[in-house]
Amino acid sequence: MIDGFIALYILTMAAILGFEIISKVPVVLHTPLMSGSNFIHGIVLVGAMIALGHADNTLEKVFGFIAVFLGAGNAAGGYVVTERMLEMFKPRVKKPEGKENGGGS
């Protein structure tokens, strides 16, 4: 029972610390920060796979599967957000004049 309270205490302190750190980051850096943090959440995926590997009963396996599923979705979302963010910073190729009307005259 004590382990549960310690885990709850650590979770609460991590949430408060995370909120305080994120609130101090300038708005312009939110997208790169979120992209990087989503990628780092791949560690959660590894932890979930380890927990699933040690699961003995059906309830543990179900929770482990859900954790792996959500962790994989989060890691994939991090890659998608990173790709979209990088697309925003690429220079745009200008179309040659006169090509927009369908003719060259």
Side-chain angles (χ1 to χ4, degrees):
M1 191 68 175
I2 296 297
D3 290 339
F5 284 121
I6 291 173
L8 183 62
Y9 175 75
I10 291 171
L11 177 68
T12 304
M13 294 306 291
I16 291 170
L17 180 67
F19 178 77
E20 287 297 321
I21 289 173
I22 295 298
S23 66
K24 304 280 188 280
V25 172
V27 174
V28 130
L29 296 177
H30 277 188
T31 302
L33 180 67
M34 290 300 296
S35 173
S37 66
N38 281 340
F39 173 71
I40 291 172
H41 283 141
I43 296 169
V44 172
L45 177 61
V46 172
M49 287 190 295
I50 291 172
L52 182 60
H54 292 287
D56 292 329
N57 60 32
T58 305
L59 184 63
E60 291 175 350
K61 290 178 182 175
V62 167
F63 281 132
F65 177 77
I66 291 171
V68 168
F69 181 74
L70 293 176
N74 196 14
Y79 280 113
V80 170
V81 168
T82 301
E83 182 67 26
R84 290 186 69 188
M85 183 185 69
L86 291 176
E87 286 289 326
M88 290 174 23
F89 293 112
K90 284 185 179 175
R92 296 176 190 240
V93 177
K94 292 184 178 179
K95 294 181 181 176
E97 295 292 326
K99 291 285 184 175
E100 297 167 359
N101 296 335
S105 58

